[in-house]
């Protein structure tokens, strides 16, 4: 399919970048950019400063729990169309109802580990965006057991899939994303808080469907807008466990990558990143810093002039991996499984997940599947998530923040600015970590938080550096720093 080029000027976070997309190739980065550009982040929003001890607001007894008898067996995938030979792990997919009154149901895909699945941890991977598919992006392009070939009909094995280290659960959330749906159109207007509540309801019901995982160590991870999704779900779990006075979900830790945790520092960090990587002139860099007030979203005419100038200076590049090739010829598939990522892979995924036989095999409703979209309005999104991270650190769960170092949308500089704002003592000095006799990135330990980079990775770390990403997540799950060089 010939791509239709759309130009989105990212005015609040990386407004100086031109982003390419087409009708079937919208990335979570595009959606994140458009979301912030639309200024849904509002410093006067009542959600911006809401309390993060949710015990007073939630009541566990009101959580919907439906009968799950016989549903696990019904959700088992016999075989994915076009899957390679020798698949030695169980796969499941289907729907969990989170609101029977509105007919709201969330879709999941679950890949057990080929080795020791009965003892390994359970890891939830959430979709970002907001409004992008965990199945299409996370499972099919990043860390899942398979990637889609260029023909859009067959699969090949991802040797660095995360189900080598854990049992991986992919959730399409909220309703309206991917295969998830509601019978009430009002459910497609949602926000951070409601998304966390629905994800918790999903988890409680999923654990009823898969009771063997109820006591299992549980972790949550994702990148991008999951800087909101993951911490808010973690807070909800901790609060619900406290209310019920028992462990409902055995949450042990979270890991968020290239994550939006603070709009203001993200803008500053992105600006510094582009200038330091020779994508902006000194004049433009200074002009934006002097004339653009991100704190109050004050974009004067002079500011806009410098932003427009920066767009032309940066040129037609991939903003979430500034050194990656663009998808100029979707018919070629020559990159993965080498160390490079095929920039056209989202086209292949789109074709595959819209095959009728695939939708039947994964027990999905017949749908015109899109990688991103389906939401009408986002009703709440705090400007800053640092208070949430502080709350989680006080709870004692494991907290890692990782960053691919060639992403310009939410770059490593932005993440470091956000962490510095927490004013945490350093307990483990900055050092390189290695995999396959190469530096995989750098790691630094703070009191209550581990920060690590992944060398040569863009916004979606497992896509660009799959081996290094697997090394990283394995270290996280074992509660150890990545290996020394």
């Amino acid at each position: 399919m010939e791509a239709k080029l759309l130009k989105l000027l990212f005015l609040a976070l990386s407004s100086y970048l031109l982003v390419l997309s087409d009708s079937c190739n919208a990335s979570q980065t595009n959606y994140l950019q458009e979301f912030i550009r639309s200024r849904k982040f509002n410093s006067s929003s009542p959600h911006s400063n809401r309390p993060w001890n949710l015990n007073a607001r939630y009541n566990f007894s009101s959580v919907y729990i439906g009968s799950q008898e016989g549903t696990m067996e019904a959700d088992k995938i016999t075989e994915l169309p076009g899957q390679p030979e020798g698949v030695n792990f169980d796969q499941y997919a289907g729907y969990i109802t989170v609101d029977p009154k509105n007919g709201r149901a969330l879709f999941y895909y679950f890949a057990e580990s080929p080795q020791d699945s009965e003892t390994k941890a359970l890891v939830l991977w959430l979709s970002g965006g907001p409004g992008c598919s965990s199945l299409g992006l996370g499972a099919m392009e990043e860390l899942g057991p398979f990637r889609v070939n260029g023909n859009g009909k067959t699969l090949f094995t991802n040797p660095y899939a995360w189900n080598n280290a854990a049992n991986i659960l992919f959730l399409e959330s909220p309703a309206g994303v991917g295969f998830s749906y509601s019978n009430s159109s009002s459910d497609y207007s949602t926000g951070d808080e409601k998304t966390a509540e629905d994800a918790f309801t999903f988890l409680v019901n999923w654990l009823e469907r898969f009771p063997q995982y109820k006591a299992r160590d549980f972790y949550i991870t994702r990148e991008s807008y999951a800087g909101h999704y993951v911490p808010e779900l973690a807070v909800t779990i901790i609060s619900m466990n406290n209310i019920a006075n028992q462990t409902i979900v055995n949450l042990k830790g979270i890991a968020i990558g290239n994550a939006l945790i603070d709009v203001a520092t993200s803008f500053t960090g992105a600006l510094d990143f582009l200038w330091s990587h020779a994508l902006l002139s000194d004049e433009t860099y200074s002009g934006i810093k002097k004339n653009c007030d991100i704190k109050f979203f004050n974009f004067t005419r002079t500011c806009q002039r410098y932003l427009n100038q920066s767009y032309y200076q940066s040129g037609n590049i991939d903003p979430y991996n500034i050194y990656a090739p663009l998808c100029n010829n979707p018919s070629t598939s020559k990159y993965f499984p080498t160390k490079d990522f095929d920039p056209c892979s989202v086209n292949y995924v789109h074709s595959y997940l819209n095959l009728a036989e695939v939708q039947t095999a994964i027990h999905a409703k017949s749908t015109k599947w899109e990688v991103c979209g389906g939401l009408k309005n986002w009703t709440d999104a705090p400007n800053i998530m640092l208070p949430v991270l502080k709350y989680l650190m006080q709870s004692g769960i494991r907290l890692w923040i990782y960053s691919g170092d060639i992403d310009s949308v939410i770059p490593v500089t932005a993440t470091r600015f956000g962490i510095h704002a927490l004013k945490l003592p350093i307990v483990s000095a900055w050092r390189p970590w290695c995999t396959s006799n190469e530096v995989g990135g750098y790691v630094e330990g703070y009191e209550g938080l581990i920060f690590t980079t992944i060398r040569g990775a863009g916004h979606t770390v497992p896509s660009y550096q799959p081996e290094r990403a697997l090394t990283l997540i394995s270290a996280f799950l074992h509660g150890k720093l990545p290996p020394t060089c």
Side-chain angles (χ1 to χ4, degrees):
M1 180 184 295
E2 187 173 319
K4 189 183 294 182
L5 298 182
L6 301 176
K7 297 181 179 180
L8 299 175
L9 190 60
F10 186 27
L11 296 179
L13 178 54
S14 51
S15 46
Y16 30 78
L17 293 173
L18 175 67
V19 181
L20 301 177
S21 70
D22 61 30
S23 59
C24 70
N25 190 21
S27 74
Q28 67 178 332
T29 306
N30 297 356
Y31 268 71
L32 178 63
Q33 292 173 332
E34 181 64 18
F35 177 69
I36 299 176
R37 186 195 62 79
S38 66
R39 296 173 68 170
K40 293 293 193 303
F41 288 85
N42 185 342
S43 58
S44 64
S45 166
H47 299 281
S48 295
N49 298 303
R50 65 174 181 249
W52 293 105
N53 187 334
L54 307 184
N55 294 353
R57 185 169 65 224
Y58 290 157
N59 183 351
F60 180 74
S61 63
S62 66
V63 175
Y64 168 75
I65 303 177
S67 172
Q68 305 298 328
E69 185 176 355
T71 51
M72 183 183 80
E73 293 78 9
D75 283 356
K76 190 170 184 179
I77 297 172
T78 304
E79 183 177 333
L80 288 174
Q83 77 178 30
E85 295 182 358
V87 174
N88 59 346
F89 57 89
D90 289 335
Q91 306 172 76
Y92 300 83
Y95 291 95
I96 296 280
T97 297
V98 296
D99 183 347
K101 181 179 178 181
N102 283 4
R104 191 163 69 251
L106 302 184
F107 185 82
Y108 78 91
Y109 168 67
F110 179 49
E112 288 191 316
S113 179
Q115 305 90 22
D116 305 319
S117 63
E118 65 280 359
T119 58
K120 284 183 176 173
L122 175 64
V123 173
L124 174 67
W125 180 267
L126 293 173
S127 54
C132 293
S133 167
S134 181
L135 172 62
L137 290 172
M140 294 291 184
E141 287 194 69
E142 298 188 58
L143 60 130
F146 306 114
R147 297 280 178 89
V148 183
N149 284 310
N151 59 17
K153 297 178 181 179
T154 59
L155 306 173
F156 63 96
T157 299
N158 173 11
Y160 305 111
W162 285 16
N163 71 328
N164 288 302
N167 302 287
I168 309 294
L169 174 61
F170 299 89
L171 171 62
E172 306 230 275
S173 172
V177 174
F179 289 112
S180 295
Y181 70 93
S182 175
N183 294 331
S184 174
S185 61
S186 63
D187 284 340
Y188 297 145
S189 294
T190 188
D192 283 13
E193 188 175 322
K194 186 61 181 174
T195 298
E197 292 175 11
D198 276 2
F200 179 80
T201 303
F202 166 86
L203 274 175
V204 171
N205 282 274
W206 190 90
L207 290 171
E208 290 296 318
R209 187 171 296 189
F210 292 81
Q212 65 270 34
Y213 286 95
K214 279 187 174 183
R216 202 71 60 87
D217 287 353
F218 177 72
Y219 299 87
I220 318 171
T221 186
R222 186 58 158 129
E223 78 268 319
S224 196
Y225 193 75
H228 284 230
Y229 280 164
V230 173
E232 294 216 32
L233 176 55
V235 168
T236 305
I237 291 171
I238 292 168
S239 299
M240 289 295 198
N241 286 348
N242 290 339
I243 292 167
N245 200 28
Q246 60 178 305
T247 299
I248 305 302
V249 179
N250 191 23
L251 179 65
K252 295 297 185 180
I254 67 171
I256 50 177
N258 292 82
L260 182 65
I261 57 177
D262 181 6
V263 170
T265 59
S266 291
F267 180 90
T268 304
L271 181 63
D272 285 2
F273 181 90
L274 286 180
W275 176 76
S276 64
H277 286 73
L279 297 172
L280 290 183
S281 70
D282 292 350
E283 178 200 5
T284 302
Y285 173 75
S286 299
I288 293 173
K289 292 198 76 168
K290 181 179 179 180
N291 295 285
C292 299
D293 188 349
I294 182 61
K295 184 175 182 180
F296 297 102
F297 290 95
N298 182 18
F299 296 99
T300 64
R301 287 186 178 180
T302 303
C303 167
Q304 293 287 359
R305 178 168 60 84
Y306 280 110
L307 291 176
N308 293 337
Q309 190 172 300
S310 68
Y311 148 58
Y312 290 108
Q313 289 178 356
S314 296
N316 184 16
I317 62 171
D318 180 345
Y320 54 104
N321 182 334
I322 63 172
Y323 301 127
L326 298 177
C327 179
N328 294 318
N329 185 359
S331 66
T332 62
S333 180
K334 63 183 180 181
Y335 301 96
F336 196 83
T338 66
K339 290 189 176 181
D340 298 311
F341 175 63
D342 187 336
C344 302
S345 62
V346 70
N347 299 69
Y348 317 150
V349 171
H350 183 270
S351 297
Y352 184 78
L353 290 180
N354 276 294
L355 294 174
E357 58 267 33
V358 171
Q359 295 186 4
T360 298
I362 62 176
H363 316 119
K365 292 180 64 175
S366 179
T367 305
K368 186 176 185 288
W369 182 89
E370 297 291 348
V371 67
C372 295
L375 303 181
K376 296 179 179 178
N377 182 41
W378 202 259
T379 57
D380 75 276
N383 285 350
I384 185 168
M385 296 298 291
L386 301 181
V388 194
L389 299 183
K390 286 183 178 179
Y391 177 89
L392 293 173
M393 285 186 283
Q394 292 166 1
S395 76
I397 69 166
R398 191 175 306 157
L399 174 57
W400 284 34
I401 298 178
Y402 63 92
S403 184
D405 63 8
I406 51 177
D407 169 32
S408 72
V409 177
I410 307 179
V412 62
T413 43
T415 300
R416 295 177 81 172
F417 286 153
I419 292 174
H420 292 166
L422 292 169
K423 301 185 185 305
L424 302 173
I426 295 175
V427 296
S428 178
W430 180 277
R431 67 161 173 84
W433 61 270
C434 285
T435 186
S436 294
N437 299 315
E438 290 184 345
V439 173
Y442 300 86
V443 62
E444 188 169 36
Y446 296 85
E447 190 173 283
L449 182 152
I450 299 296
F451 169 63
T452 180
T453 72
I454 300 86
R455 190 167 68 92
H459 190 74
T460 53
V461 168
S463 295
Y464 299 109
Q465 292 292 340
E467 182 180 7
R468 292 171 185 175
L470 179 58
T471 298
L472 179 70
I473 198 64
S474 298
F476 166 70
L477 293 174
H478 287 95
K480 298 179 181 180
L481 296 182
T484 57
C485 295

